Amino acid sequence: MPPTRPNRPARAALLASLLTVTAALTLGTAPATARAADGAVCNKFCDARDPQNATGDRTPVTASIYGRTLALHLSDNDVMGWASIDGAVGGDEVWLDRSFDGGRTWSSGSRLGATAVPDGSTGRRSQMYNVDDWNTGGIGALRACGKAGNRAEIACTGWARTDRNAASRSTAAATSLMTEYHRDTGRFAGWWTSATALTSLIDNIRISGMPSYRYAISTTYDKLIGAEDGDFTNAYLDDTGWWGLAWVAAYDVTGDARYLETARKDADHMRDYWTSTCGGGVQWATDKPYKNAVTNELYLQLNASLHNRIDGDTAYLQRAEDEWAWFRGSGMINSGGTVNDGLTSACANNGDTTWTYNQGVILAGLAELHRATGDAAVLSSARTLADASTSSDYLNPGGTLHEPYEPDGTGCTSDGDSFKGAYARGLGILDKELPDHPYSAYLDRQAATLYARNRNSLDQYGPHWAGPFAATGNGCQHSALDLLNAAQDG
């Protein structure tokens, strides 16, 4: 609390501010609140509140050191937490760390409420501190740390947070994903992976109804509209396709026509690089004539999606139909019904890796094309492709989706870390389009495995859906969110 008692007008202003922020229940939409004079965070309450005033006590994580037990306590309604140490002796210490980037750094939030166990006592607890900073939109996490007497070793619990914006599996994953978002630059890690992460977030807003992170849509658009080649286009046509689909998703949840117009510009940019090489198709990049699967799958989905949202359109529908006619005859679909990476210079299947995203984006594209045309043959083709990928032992060793050459990684920043999410998203879109929803059980099973085996206490997810948890980062996190969205939306 502030070190000096405010005068009556100041107290009234602070009370009004805190009542306002209490009514604004979602991080990112709450107004700025007063700060204590010592720089402490003030939301519903200010930092350093006595735990005896907590309205709840949940203990998600514990740790031990030299026979002492450290615990993080969370009061969900207060959106605050505190640390405790038990089995202690005089001189032992306990405190909180607070991070606003998913536990990567906490230098300015270290040793909050640090306190020592008095002589003759066996336990101690810190004061309560806020998890989040609503003044800055800081999405936070806490952990309890401590040490035994004069020993140098320190132990800490895992990071965790209250259930604010984390009441369900998908919203908890979305909140953890947002610790990867940089509001100053308007992006997640990477360029095209920022587009796929934003799409995952938008899908969660639509599916869960949680509006807390809608600000990321306009922030991303406003800060990046002039980046690369402008209007979210660049030399790599698949990158342009990912961004175009992100703005279609943004249009769906906001109704803002500028997003749909930008998606049209992205589709038109891709159309400029449809060439006669191998009989058609969009090339991989403006200076690379390689015809690959993902670029053309994205082109199919983007054009069909635009047709389904533009009254009276015929041009985008024709492009989508031309794409599917070319793609299904291109040879990229192999004899086993899965899709290889692309074509050789002689226009034959190059036998390259059957990446998971190449199996998924095509499903979303065909679902959109079916919405546009009502052609039952399109759905039949999509079902054949989906049956092949969901039943593939190569792609699903032990029954759980696994990326070929899946990296262990230390930060989930490789392109491949994002691929499984695109697969789950595409399969989920197709499953909704099919009247019997044949893939909902598969998606539910994958989501259950992911949640049980590949998650830490902060609802961060790693690269291996079957476990063990190894690392986290933008690619792994939004892929997990894609899966949780698809399972919830089914």
Side-chain angles (χ1 to χ4, degrees), residues 134-160:
W134 296 344
N135 302 277
T136 64
I139 302 165
L142 299 176
R143 69 178 182 180
C145 297
K147 63 189 295 291
N150 60 2
R151 294 179 181 269
E153 297 90 342
I154 292 172
C156 294
T157 67
W159 295 95

Side-chain angles (χ1 to χ4, degrees), residues 65-99:
I65 183 170
Y66 293 113
R68 286 77 162 166
T69 298
L70 301 166
L72 174 66
H73 302 259
L74 296 174
S75 181
D76 291 311
N77 186 56
D78 300 320
V79 205
M80 302 183 83
W82 69 95
S84 70
I85 185 169
D86 290 296
V89 299
D92 289 354
E93 298 178 45
V94 65
W95 65 87
L96 285 172
D97 285 342
R98 179 166 58 197
S99 174

Side-chain angles (χ1 to χ4, degrees), residues 42-308:
C42 293
N43 292 324
K44 294 177 76 172
F45 305 102
C46 289
D47 282 347
R49 183 173 170 82
D50 193 324
Q52 72 177 355
N53 296 316
T55 59
D57 184 356
R58 177 167 63 88
T59 307
V61 283
T62 60
S64 62
I65 183 170
Y66 293 113
R68 286 77 162 166
T69 298
L70 301 166
L72 174 66
H73 302 259
L74 296 174
S75 181
D76 291 311
N77 186 56
D78 300 320
V79 205
M80 302 183 83
W82 69 95
S84 70
I85 185 169
D86 290 296
V89 299
D92 289 354
E93 298 178 45
V94 65
W95 65 87
L96 285 172
D97 285 342
R98 179 166 58 197
S99 174
F100 291 113
D101 58 8
R104 291 188 297 279
T105 63
W106 55 93
S107 58
S108 62
S110 181
R111 296 185 62 85
L112 300 174
T115 185
V117 178
D119 290 339
S121 179
T122 60
R124 189 73 168 171
R125 64 186 183 186
S126 73
Q127 296 293 81
M128 296 171 66
Y129 286 79
N130 284 289
V131 177
D132 301 313
D133 184 355
W134 296 344
N135 302 277
T136 64
I139 302 165
L142 299 176
R143 69 178 182 180
C145 297
K147 63 189 295 291
N150 60 2
R151 294 179 181 269
E153 297 90 342
I154 292 172
C156 294
T157 67
W159 295 95
R161 57 174 287 111
T162 58
D163 64 3
R164 177 62 52 86
N165 296 335
S168 69
R169 293 180 179 183
S170 69
T171 56
T175 292
S176 188
L177 175 63
M178 283 301 292
T179 67
E180 304 281 340
Y181 184 69
H182 302 281
R183 295 182 79 166
D184 56 339
T185 63
R187 59 195 294 175
F188 296 89
W191 178 245
W192 76 269
T193 50
S194 286
T196 54
L198 181 64
T199 306
S200 305
L201 183 72
I202 295 170
D203 283 346
N204 187 256
I205 293 169
R206 174 181 57 82
I207 293 163
S208 72
M210 186 180 77
S212 305
Y213 307 123
R214 285 175 68 100
Y215 67 82
I217 302 173
S218 58
T219 298
T220 299
Y221 188 90
D222 293 340
K223 288 185 177 293
L224 298 182
I225 187 68
E228 299 283 325
D229 295 333
D231 293 314
F232 298 91
T233 66
N234 70 319
Y236 285 90
L237 284 313
D238 53 344
D239 291 8
T240 303
W242 290 116
W243 277 112
L245 289 172
W247 299 123
V248 169
Y251 172 76
D252 286 347
V253 299
T254 67
D256 191 330
R258 65 177 177 160
Y259 299 138
L260 192 64
E261 181 60 27
T262 298
R264 294 184 68 166
K265 291 177 181 178
D266 294 337
D268 294 347
H269 176 67
M270 296 179 78
R271 176 62 181 83
D272 289 342
Y273 295 91
W274 176 284
T275 72
S276 60
T277 301
C278 297
V282 178
Q283 63 190 42
W284 180 27
T286 58
D287 60 347
K288 293 177 173 59
Y290 176 50
K291 298 293 176 69
N292 67 345
V294 72
T295 303
N296 285 279
E297 293 174 353
L298 291 165
Y299 184 70
L300 168 62
Q301 184 184 354
L302 180 54
N303 280 281
S305 297
L306 287 169
H307 170 77
N308 289 332

Side-chain angles (χ1 to χ4, degrees), residues 192 196 236-243 245 270 281-285 290-303 323 326-327 330 332-333 339-343 350 352-365 403 415 418-420 422-423 425:
W192 76 269
T196 54
Y236 285 90
L237 284 313
D238 53 344
D239 291 8
T240 303
W242 290 116
W243 277 112
L245 289 172
M270 296 179 78
V282 178
Q283 63 190 42
W284 180 27
Y290 176 50
K291 298 293 176 69
N292 67 345
V294 72
T295 303
N296 285 279
E297 293 174 353
L298 291 165
Y299 184 70
L300 168 62
Q301 184 184 354
L302 180 54
N303 280 281
E323 172 61 59
W326 175 81
F327 191 93
S330 69
M332 280 187 280
I333 303 173
V339 181
N340 292 98
D341 189 69
L343 302 177
N350 62 12
D352 206 343
T353 310
T354 53
W355 304 110
T356 57
Y357 74 159
N358 284 338
Q359 320 311 312
V361 179
I362 187 65
L363 304 180
E403 190 64 46
D415 285 351
S418 297
F419 288 178
K420 293 200 297 291
Y423 176 78
R425 187 191 304 162

